[in-house]
Amino acid sequence: MGSRKNKWILLAAILVLFVVITTPLSHLSFLGNYNGDEFTEQDLLTVEEINGFMVVWSKFLRSDVGARFRPISLNKNDEIPSQVSRWLTTQGWSAKRFFAVEQRLRRLVDIAYLQNNLASNIELQKKTNVTNLSDIIKHQKDQLAALQYNPKELDLVSANLYQISEVLNGKAVL
């Protein structure tokens, strides 16, 4: 009976070893750190996800894959090239989630800049009392009111606005 049990244990060990050997290292390296779920409008960005994205986005832009496929934008009809999907998988990301996070960050960066510009214009109007500035301020307030965003996400992006903007535009590296 003991010999039979040892054979089963040996067989299980060989099977586990086979799975580990045949699984690419990229799939083993990020156990518990895979951003693979679909990203929906209800999902909120976290500091960890933003930071993780920024690091991988920097790598993506510097990689051969990023150089060839940089103009990719995630639309319902667009297919993500398999090279990009494989590269992102090795980095611990689902391609659809990765590009959805990129688009969300870009939208939040634009909103944060609009908010900053509006605040500057209001401050300038208080100091100079320029008449046509009130029309610009009204237009910016209307634009801001029409936009849908989560204030918590906007606060996260606003806290590091310059850095996030520079990395998204490929001008800075993390």
Side-chain angles (χ1 to χ4, degrees):
M1 188 75 147
S3 173
R4 192 173 202 192
K5 186 177 178 182
N6 287 341
K7 287 181 183 177
W8 281 110
I9 292 173
L10 180 62
L11 181 63
I14 291 172
L15 184 62
V16 168
L17 183 62
F18 175 76
V19 169
V20 169
I21 289 174
T22 59
T23 303
L25 285 176
S26 59
H27 290 259
L28 295 175
S29 65
F30 57 80
L31 289 175
N33 191 25
Y34 183 69
N35 296 312
D37 297 334
E38 285 287 325
F39 195 72
T40 65
E41 286 298 315
Q42 291 76 31
D43 290 338
L44 294 179
L45 291 171
T46 63
V47 172
E48 294 80 17
E49 187 164 38
I50 291 172
N51 290 339
F53 170 83
M54 301 304 278
V55 169
V56 176
W57 182 255
S58 293
K59 287 181 187 177
F60 177 73
L61 293 179
R62 289 178 289 154
S63 72
D64 291 339
V65 173
R68 282 184 279 156
F69 299 107
R70 184 174 182 186
I72 290 176
S73 180
L74 194 62
N75 294 324
K76 292 186 189 281
N77 298 333
D78 286 350
E79 297 262 337
I80 298 170
S82 60
Q83 289 174 299
V84 174
S85 292
R86 280 193 306 269
W87 188 89
L88 288 170
T89 300
T90 64
Q91 302 300 313
W93 282 84
S94 152
K96 285 190 177 193
R97 185 174 187 96
F98 183 78
F99 289 111
V101 168
E102 179 217 356
Q103 288 182 342
R104 174 89 54 99
L105 283 174
R106 286 189 187 280
R107 190 174 82 232
L108 289 167
V109 163
D110 290 344
I111 293 169
Y113 277 127
L114 178 61
Q115 271 188 339
N116 291 347
N117 196 333
L118 174 61
S120 295
N121 286 340
I122 290 172
E123 197 61 37
L124 183 63
Q125 185 183 32
K126 287 178 185 176
K127 290 179 182 177
T128 62
N129 204 13
V130 175
T131 311
N132 65 348
L133 200 53
S134 59
D135 292 338
I136 293 171
I137 291 171
K138 183 188 177 314
H139 179 69
Q140 287 177 328
K141 283 182 179 179
D142 291 344
Q143 275 184 307
L144 204 54
L147 296 170
Q148 294 181 354
Y149 60 91
N150 184 295
K152 291 178 184 177
E153 286 182 331
L154 187 61
D155 288 344
L156 290 176
V157 170
S158 294
N160 295 311
L161 181 59
Y162 180 75
Q163 180 184 18
I164 292 171
S165 176
E166 291 297 297
V167 170
L168 282 174
N169 293 325
K171 296 178 182 175
V173 176
L174 288 181

